[in-house]
Structures are given as structure tokens and as C-alpha cells.
Amino acid sequence: MLLPPEPSVTEHRSWPDESPIVSLKDVHKSFGSFEVLRGVSMDVRKGEIVCIIGPSGSGKSTLIRCINGLTPIHQGSITVEGQEVNDAKLDKLSLRRKVGIVFQQYNLFPHKTVLENVMMAPLKVLREPKAEVEARARALIAKVRLTGKEDAYPGQLSGGQQQRVAIARSLAMRPDVMLFDEVTAALDPETVKEVLVTIKELATEGMTCILVTHEMGFAREVADHVYFTDRGVIVEHGSPAQIFGAAQDPRTRQFLSQIL
Amino acid sequence: MSRRPFQLDPRLLVSGRVLSALDWRHGAALLVMFAASLTFASAQSAAAPPATPSALATLATWTPHILRGFVLNLVMSFLAMALATVLGIGLGLMQISPGRLLRLPARFFTLLLRNSPWLVILFAIMYLLPIEIRIPGGKPIEFPDWLKATLAFSLPVAGNVSEILRGAVNSIPTGQWESADGLAFTRAQTLRWIILPQCIRRAIPPWMNWYALLTLSTPMASIFSVHEAVWNAQSSMEAAGARPELLLPFYLFLLCLFFIYIYPIAICTRKLERKYAVAT
């Protein structure tokens, strides 16, 4: 009997290394009369760690939410593995399998245990067999160092633990790209590190990561590429050494001098 | 300061908080009044011609009859609540639909049902519905008065259940929708697996509150000679010779009956309310 090819990891992983896995071209987005993004272009290659930094209100979060179609854009083009996001007939399922997102407020499902949180999307959305999903979920929970917490409810965990569950939940869909929207901004200082360590491990395993962050030390250490945004445009981008060591634009220098 | 993402404004959900106000002291007062009225009425009967049975004996004779009526009150309340829940959930789901074609009519009917006096709805249903429905070729289906009244009582509660659902869904933080969206859940899947399960526990206390109100309203059916507890109590008093001293003990007996039934529900509702207030 001929079965259709398994449409999972392998298919996505075949994306060639050289062309950008995520590509934004001249992206514009307004909320009412306020233009949040005023022509943003950006290319992210497979396995790259990209950090987006900039003052609050500069459109960082909007930018990252546009990539998986949570926020629709008005003009321009966003492609993820060649799939156009700015498309009225967008296949959301296909896009969101490729792109995982983690939010500042974790947004775990409070009525479900840790294990159920991680298993839910593969079970209900992808309708994968339960045994397989559970094995994968347990492995992911172990990976974010929360073994033993499988049956806890989100309300019983610390912020850092909840955020790691959110990361595991997103990984359970086996995405190729992970988006992190200020994931440490709501955490107590002592739990920030445990979340950053988890992200760093993902990065070293070759996951493509796009982060909006205020953790400059982390960006400097882990990022392959840093983008500095201000008032809806990318002011400057380059390697961490370039941005943090020898920023060209006065706005970048001013921002960094305030924050570092 | 840590945010509390699952906080709920109780004003959104609870409309008539009858149950929260109910106290065991009310029951005690009721019992004292009932006992006093019985003693008083028995004293009056003693002064009457020697063949007259005491108020207590009369009440004891007719208690099974009144209880049989009370069973009908309960049956009506169960049926009406079941119907109200089904109708209310349907209307509520339409109310939160993104499509105007569903949302606006559902909003209209919810407001209409919630804000019409129950007695008006009762009269409308009693006179508008036929006694029996004839399906061509089949036997006529009878539609007795008690069933019509049940339908009438379910309508205003359905409107309120619809509003409870809308309020509960709106009280779920948008982050829940966003993260479900990010995990490729469709709108229907998000509702089914993420939003509605979180609504249930929030909605149960107000739902029980409306059940209590509904039960307390079922005696209105006695206007249409439905043989429920109040109607049966009245017919018992007439059969016992329509003695005025029976009025107070009989009606206080009815009050006690309803209190005994509603009070455990009140305690339960309050416990649930407190439990969920702590859990969230």
C-alpha cells in the first residue's frame, strides 16, 4: 500500500542552507494612523540566531509577530521557507508548524498540566498518535530541565519554569524557526538565566532563533546577527561585535550607552 | 508586582446573587415562624366546633399531596434548566461569533429574553402555544400546561446563560487565544480545547444561582392551574374547609420546603465560588 510521505520534520529540514529561511522585504504595518513598521527588510539563514534590540515602542514585538502571521501586515512580503505569509489564502497550519512562538507572558493553558500543555497541539491539531506525542513531550520536558513537573499545573510553577514549559510546548510542534518575544522581560532576575540557558542550548543544536530581547549580554554572546530597530525601521545591523563594539549610527550608540 | 492574568470580574457573571445572601439563620427564622403559626392555628381550631381537626393534623393529612406537587416543581426546574442550558449555550456561542449574521440576532434575543418580565413570557407562551401539535400523518403530540410553563421558565434563564457564557469567554485573557493561534489551533479548536474548558468552572456558580431562581419561580405555574406544590396547597386548604387559620402554616410550610431544597445548593455554590476565587 502506498502511503503519502510523512510530512514532518524531514520535509522542513530539507530547506537549503544557503538561501534565507525567513525573509522580510519592505514590511509596513500600521495600527490606525500610527505606522509601527515603516519598511523593514531582513534575511535570516537556517541555524542563525538573530537578536532584535531597540527602545520600547520601536516595533520589535510587532515585527516578530508578523513573521508567523499573528499580526497581518499592510505592505511588503514575508516568506518562511518560501511560503508567503502576507497572503489572503495563507495556509496557517503549514506556516505555524514551521514557526513556533514564545511570549513574554508565557500564556500556558492554566487548566492543563505541564505534560498536557506540551502534548495538546500535536494531539489536537496534528492528530498524531498519543504514545508518540507523549514520548516526545516527556523528552522535551526533560530537555528544558523540568522532569518531575509533568503533572504540575502552570499556577504551581515559577515564572522561569512556566516559560520553559512554553518553550517545550512550542517545540512539540517540531518547528524549524523559533520566535521569542521578550521572553525574559516578565521574569524575576534569578530565573532569567535558566530560560536563557535553555534558549542557548536550542541555538547550539542548530535551531533557527529570532529573539526580541533586552538581554544585551545574551545577545552579544549568542547572536550571529543583531538588528537595532528604532521608530519602525532597522537603523543598523551586523555581527554583535560590530553593533556592540563599533556602532556606526548615533541612535544605536545612544541606545546602547543608556542600556549598558 | 505580578500580574494576575486569570482574574475575573464577578459582576460580569453573577446577576442575581440570591444564593450568596442565603444564610442558615433565615432557615431557623422560617422554622420558628412556621412552628409559631402552627401553635397559633391549632389554638384557634381548638376553640372551634369539636369535630374540627387541628391545623397540625390537617397539614399532616395533606402533606403527601403537597409533596407530590413539589415533585412536579422539581421536574419542571430540571427540565427547564436543561433546556435553558442548551438554548443558552447555543445563543452564547452565536453571541461570540465573529460573523455579524449570527452575532447580532443572538445579541438581540439574549437581551430580549433577559429583560422581559418572567410573567409576561409565561402568559405569552401559555396562550401562544397550542394544546397539541399535529404532525401530518402522525398522532397529535399533547402539550400539557406544565410542559408549556416549563418552556416559558426556561426562556429567560436561557438568555442569562447566554450572557454568562459570553462574559466568561470575554474574561479569558487574549494571550490564551494568541498562544493557541501560534500553535496552529483553529478558532473552533481553541474554543473547544482551551477557552470553553476554562469557562466552565467560572460559569458554574452563576449557573447554579440561576437554577435556584428558576426553581423559586416554578410556583408561578399555579396561575394556570398546574398541579404543583402551591396549587396543591391551595386545593388542600379548600378541601379542609377553607379555614383562614390554615393560611399561614400552609404557606410557611411551602417556604420551608423550598428553603430545604435551595439551601444546600446555596452552600455548594458559595463553596465553589470561594474555591475558584482562591484557585485563580
Side-chain angles (χ1 to χ4, degrees):
Chain A
M1 204 171 70
L2 267 178
L3 286 169
E6 165 70 8
S8 65
V9 215
T10 45
E11 187 188 74
H12 298 154
R13 296 277 182 270
S14 65
W15 187 255
D17 287 357
E18 52 284 358
S19 51
I21 191 167
V22 174
S23 177
L24 286 79
K25 286 191 183 68
D26 194 33
V27 170
H28 288 258
K29 167 73 188 177
S30 315
F31 290 114
S33 59
F34 178 63
E35 204 170 16
V36 198
L37 299 178
R38 302 182 297 158
V40 172
S41 299
M42 164 188 287
D43 279 331
V44 180
R45 257 159 253 288
K46 193 179 154 187
E48 235 180 359
I49 312 302
V50 168
C51 286
I52 302 167
I53 61 171
S56 22
S58 64
K60 307 181 299 282
S61 285
T62 310
L63 178 62
I64 210 168
R65 280 156 188 256
C66 289
I67 296 175
N68 74 343
L70 275 184
T71 305
I73 60 171
H74 291 123
Q75 193 189 319
S77 151
I78 300 174
T79 57
V80 176
E81 294 182 1
Q83 183 187 10
E84 176 59 56
V85 177
N86 187 19
D87 179 355
K89 287 175 290 183
L90 170 71
D91 178 358
K92 282 192 178 175
L93 177 61
S94 141
L95 174 67
R96 286 178 187 161
R97 285 183 65 171
K98 291 185 258 190
V99 187
I101 185 161
V102 183
F103 301 93
Q104 180 180 341
Q105 288 297 336
Y106 344 125
N107 298 339
L108 294 178
F109 306 134
H111 61 303
K112 295 285 178 186
T113 64
V114 167
L115 185 65
E116 287 167 338
N117 260 279
V118 178
M119 288 174 64
M120 213 165 172
L123 274 187
K124 305 297 181 196
V125 178
L126 303 181
R127 298 180 194 282
E128 292 180 330
K130 193 177 177 212
E132 196 183 295
V133 172
E134 185 172 338
R136 193 162 82 225
R138 287 188 186 279
L140 284 170
I141 291 167
K143 188 186 167 81
V144 298
R145 299 202 181 81
L146 286 172
T147 306
K149 297 283 186 194
E150 287 87 350
D151 297 322
Y153 283 89
Q156 301 166 318
L157 302 179
S158 74
Q161 290 172 327
Q162 289 192 56
Q163 195 57 289
R164 283 181 284 153
V165 176
I167 293 173
R169 180 177 70 171
S170 200
L171 290 174
M173 292 291 274
R174 285 182 288 199
D176 297 334
V177 179
M178 285 288 285
L179 309 175
F180 296 92
D181 186 6
E182 300 198 27
V183 291
T184 56
L187 298 178
D188 297 330
E190 63 265 31
T191 58
V192 167
K193 206 179 155 202
E194 62 190 44
V195 173
L196 292 182
V197 164
T198 305
I199 299 174
K200 206 151 98 184
E201 281 173 4
L202 269 182
T204 50
E205 287 166 21
M207 175 67 76
T208 312
C209 298
I210 304 176
L211 298 98
V212 167
T213 186
H214 289 296
E215 299 291 330
M216 295 305 150
F218 179 78
R220 180 183 265 172
E221 183 191 353
V222 180
D224 296 307
H225 215 88
V226 177
Y227 285 81
F228 173 71
T229 60
D230 190 19
R231 297 194 194 122
V233 292
I234 290 170
V235 175
E236 190 169 4
H237 67 97
S239 69
Q242 272 175 297
I243 297 292
F244 293 108
Q248 298 301 305
D249 196 283
R251 277 179 288 176
T252 319
R253 283 203 297 269
Q254 196 207 350
F255 172 75
L256 289 174
S257 72
Q258 280 167 353
I259 205 160
L260 289 179
Chain B
M1 200 183 80
S2 74
R3 256 209 254 164
R4 292 184 53 194
F6 306 114
Q7 215 164 9
L8 171 71
D9 183 358
R11 280 167 301 180
L12 269 178
L13 291 181
V14 189
S15 313
R17 295 174 68 96
V18 265
L19 293 185
S20 314
L22 218 50
D23 194 310
W24 65 267
R25 273 167 295 204
H26 298 123
L30 205 55
L31 274 177
V32 169
M33 277 160 65
F34 175 54
S37 74
L38 258 184
T39 324
F40 188 66
S42 296
Q44 277 196 322
S45 308
T52 316
S54 73
L56 182 62
T58 316
L59 184 60
T61 315
W62 291 101
T63 294
H65 185 53
I66 296 172
L67 286 181
R68 267 196 300 279
F70 190 65
V71 170
L72 182 60
N73 287 78
L74 298 189
V75 170
M76 284 167 74
S77 74
F78 296 150
L79 278 179
M81 199 60 197
L83 197 61
T85 306
V86 173
L87 272 175
I89 289 176
L91 267 181
L93 287 176
M94 283 165 70
Q95 272 207 93
I96 55 165
S97 140
R100 277 172 171 223
L101 241 75
L102 287 176
R103 195 177 65 236
L104 295 180
R107 185 88 195 116
F108 173 77
F109 280 111
T110 300
L111 290 177
L112 184 74
L113 293 177
R114 281 187 73 200
N115 296 302
S116 301
W118 290 38
L119 208 53
V120 172
I121 296 181
L122 180 65
F123 271 86
I125 294 289
M126 295 311 273
Y127 289 128
L128 283 178
L129 284 188
I131 297 167
E132 52 179 40
I133 299 170
R134 275 177 206 281
I135 298 164
K139 272 189 188 170
I141 301 165
E142 269 188 56
F143 221 24
D145 275 348
W146 72 268
L147 205 57
K148 284 197 213 172
T150 305
L151 176 66
F153 294 134
S154 77
L155 291 179
V157 180
N160 283 291
V161 170
S162 164
E163 202 57 6
I164 290 171
L165 186 108
R166 191 182 71 95
V169 168
N170 285 348
S171 73
I172 305 287
T174 49
Q176 293 286 305
W177 288 94
E178 265 184 353
S179 63
D181 206 5
L183 289 165
F185 282 83
T186 62
R187 192 186 149 79
Q189 285 171 331
T190 307
L191 268 176
R192 166 70 186 83
W193 300 108
I194 294 150
I195 306 297
L196 291 180
Q198 293 183 57
C199 291
I200 287 173
R201 52 182 236 170
R202 289 164 191 219
I204 279 178
W207 181 86
M208 286 169 66
N209 219 347
W210 279 106
Y211 173 68
L213 272 175
L214 172 65
T215 311
L216 294 177
S217 305
T218 52
M220 272 201 269
S222 63
I223 303 169
F224 292 91
S225 310
V226 171
H227 290 20
E228 46 70 70
V230 173
W231 200 90
N232 281 5
Q234 283 168 337
S235 61
S236 309
M237 282 185 283
E238 275 167 36
R243 285 141 52 198
E245 78 265 20
L246 293 181
L247 279 171
L248 220 47
F250 268 67
Y251 281 122
L252 283 170
F253 177 69
L254 283 172
L255 272 180
C256 288
L257 267 185
F258 277 97
F259 184 87
I260 289 165
Y261 182 65
I262 298 293
Y263 186 56
I265 300 177
I267 294 177
C268 191
T269 306
R270 228 171 305 163
K271 265 193 187 152
L272 286 175
E273 268 174 356
R274 220 172 300 140
K275 186 177 151 199
Y276 294 150
V278 172
T280 54

